[in-house]
Amino acid sequence: MDKDLGNTIVTTNSMNSGKLTIQQNGVAIPTQEFDRSIIVKNGKFYFLNEGKFRKYTLEKSGLKEIGQLPMPDQHIENINWINNDTLLLFTSDNKTNRRLWYTKITIKPFKIVQQQELKIPSSAPDFNIISVGFSTIHQQQLLIGYTFNKIINETDFTTIDTLYVATLDKTTLKLKGVQEDTRSTYPGGINTVQSYSFNDENGNYYFMACPGIALGNIPSKPTAIFKIEKESTQIDPNYFFDVTAQTHNHAYGIWYLGNNQAIIRSERKDRYTDFSDHHSTYQFEYYRIDLVKKTTHKLDLPFDKGTRKESVLVENGKAYIAIDDSSDRHQVWIYDIKSEEIKAGLQLDQATDFIVRIDRLN
């Protein structure tokens, strides 16, 4: 996002060093065609806009639409690539935010191969907005993590004190059962905006619950990490990583490093006033966490701004962390996972306001 509130895509072959000017090196995209929740996969871009799920290539002049699929009156809650050629979309309706759809899309050819409304039971009638935070195919079943919200007034909302995991037959989508857990709430978040779950090397599935003011808005519950073991479809009742107990704050976003290590992005409640300045305050810290020992270690990085960003890319033994700091520096920092060394990498110019996501294009 530029300081003039426009959007720009910048591509580069290396994030290890150098400087880029977004006006010279980037491709400006009209705001009505693009936002931070755009999906990037194998050189193509995907975005739900004006009732159509659209497929694009990136040209010098901007995004060029090469396909579209009708999806009227819906918005994306969660996505899941089940392979390089098949995408699962979970969408909610724009009118009530209560009805949930499952759509399976093949990329080549670009078409909908399965679409069905999912009947997810609600346990509290006054919490009538559904929020899907994760989805995964696990033990040949479809697992969906979700919760329910309610509107308090024009600017405020809250979340029920429970997270739910529904198990469905992955082919028929028949509901087989629902798990409830009250140790935290608001599992995950819109994962096109930020990452909240992953599989480790052993096939165990982890997800973050985010009850802070920026997502669940029930801060009396802790930000926490849950586990579903490889051979099970049930939340592990004996595993609970209470992140808030360690950091005394809430966190949004988790990225897996390997070997039971991950990075989380944590707010600092002493540095912002309320939700009105949450996104613009330089307050976010990055922690390396140990999922087995349940410990946290703060990384020596500048405070970041921007409530929810896909700001970490992990590959080849390094984590590339994009930070917009208080000196108006828009820097990719390179964290060596083995040596724990941190050094400065690619930098964008000061026409940048937020680096809202960092992705591998190809």
Side-chain angles (χ1 to χ4, degrees):
M1 181 180 289
D2 316 339
K3 284 191 170 67
D4 64 2
L5 303 183
N7 295 306
T8 300
I9 296 174
V10 177
T11 59
T12 179
N13 289 326
S14 174
M15 293 183 292
N16 293 323
S17 62
K19 294 184 178 181
L20 293 178
T21 302
I22 64 173
Q23 285 88 349
Q24 295 178 350
N25 303 109
V27 177
I29 309 295
T31 54
Q32 67 271 21
E33 295 181 8
F34 166 89
D35 67 24
R36 63 181 175 174
S37 63
I38 200 163
I39 302 164
V40 184
K41 185 74 169 178
N42 293 336
K44 302 295 187 294
F45 296 78
Y46 304 88
F47 190 57
L48 179 57
N49 184 32
E50 297 183 342
K52 295 178 181 178
F53 187 64
R54 304 170 189 268
K55 180 179 181 179
Y56 303 91
T57 58
L58 183 63
E59 310 289 341
K60 290 183 178 180
S61 58
L63 291 174
K64 178 182 178 182
E65 185 175 318
I66 59 173
Q68 59 176 241
L69 301 171
M71 295 186 67
D73 301 319
Q74 297 179 56
H75 63 270
I76 293 175
E77 287 281 325
N78 191 260
I79 72 163
N80 184 13
W81 289 95
I82 58 176
N83 55 50
N84 280 332
D85 301 314
T86 306
L87 173 65
L88 304 184
L89 291 181
F90 296 86
T91 59
S92 181
D93 71 293
N94 290 330
K95 294 180 181 179
T96 69
N97 294 305
R98 177 61 188 87
R99 299 175 66 187
L100 184 66
W101 276 270
Y102 164 102
T103 304
K104 181 187 287 187
I105 296 171
T106 57
I107 301 308
K108 294 179 181 180
F110 189 51
K111 69 176 183 177
I112 295 173
V113 295
Q114 186 179 7
Q115 189 170 52
Q116 184 174 327
E117 185 175 356
L118 301 178
K119 300 295 185 181
I120 301 293
S122 175
S123 59
D126 54 332
F127 287 83
N128 54 10
I129 298 172
I130 192 168
S131 174
V132 176
F134 70 81
S135 64
T136 183
I137 304 294
H138 199 75
Q139 285 294 307
Q140 299 303 306
Q141 306 294 321
L142 173 62
L143 305 184
I144 301 175
Y146 62 96
T147 192
F148 296 99
N149 312 311
K150 71 175 178 180
I151 300 297
I152 299 173
N153 53 48
E154 289 185 359
T155 60
D156 206 4
F157 74 100
T158 190
T159 300
I160 199 168
D161 64 353
T162 305
L163 66 83
Y164 305 86
V165 178
T167 302
L168 300 95
D169 183 282
K170 73 170 187 176
T171 302
T172 66
L173 304 183
K174 180 180 178 181
L175 182 65
K176 302 178 75 171
V178 175
Q179 304 168 63
E180 300 183 11
D181 201 308
T182 59
R183 292 177 290 177
S184 183
T185 188
Y186 207 105
I190 299 174
N191 68 343
T192 55
V193 175
Q194 194 170 47
S195 296
Y196 302 96
S197 61
F198 58 87
N199 285 97
D200 69 10
E201 301 91 336
N202 298 316
N204 301 310
Y205 187 75
Y206 291 85
F207 65 89
M208 172 182 276
C210 303
I213 68 165
L215 285 182
N217 200 15
I218 180 168
S220 59
K221 294 281 186 176
T223 292
I225 299 169
F226 293 78
K227 178 183 179 182
I228 299 174
E229 292 191 344
K230 177 183 178 180
E231 303 298 334
S232 176
T233 58
Q234 301 295 303
I235 297 172
D236 184 346
N238 300 313
Y239 184 89
F240 184 70
F241 188 167
D242 186 336
V243 172
T244 299
Q246 297 245 354
T247 65
H248 309 291
N249 286 287
H250 286 288
Y252 313 90
I254 184 168
W255 296 268
Y256 189 53
L257 300 176
N259 297 316
N260 301 309
Q261 306 288 305
I263 285 178
I264 62 171
R265 190 171 182 269
S266 179
E267 72 182 10
R268 278 279 297 269
K269 63 184 178 182
D270 59 322
R271 295 180 68 91
Y272 67 89
T273 304
D274 53 31
F275 190 60
S276 65
D277 68 340
H278 195 268
H279 70 287
S280 59
T281 301
Y282 299 96
Q283 54 143 326
F284 282 94
E285 300 175 319
Y286 291 84
Y287 286 82
R288 178 171 177 157
I289 65 171
D290 188 305
L291 295 160
V292 175
K293 297 178 181 178
K294 300 178 184 174
T295 55
T296 62
H297 171 72
K298 191 173 81 70
L299 300 184
D300 185 16
L301 290 166
F303 284 113
D304 194 11
K305 72 171 182 176
T307 295
R308 292 182 298 153
K309 306 193 296 186
E310 184 65 9
S311 53
V312 180
L313 178 65
V314 180
E315 60 179 32
N316 300 325
K318 295 180 172 59
Y320 297 88
I321 305 170
I323 292 180
D324 306 294
D325 67 27
S326 60
S327 63
D328 201 19
R329 179 175 48 174
H330 307 277
Q331 180 79 58
V332 176
W333 295 89
I334 305 170
Y335 175 66
D336 187 283
I337 297 170
K338 185 176 181 180
S339 70
E340 302 186 22
E341 178 187 8
I342 299 174
K343 62 180 181 180
L346 179 71
Q347 188 176 126
L348 300 185
D349 72 316
Q350 291 181 329
T352 307
D353 196 3
F354 296 90
I355 303 175
V356 293
R357 62 180 310 116
I358 177 170
D359 299 276
R360 170 161 285 284
L361 179 59
N362 290 302

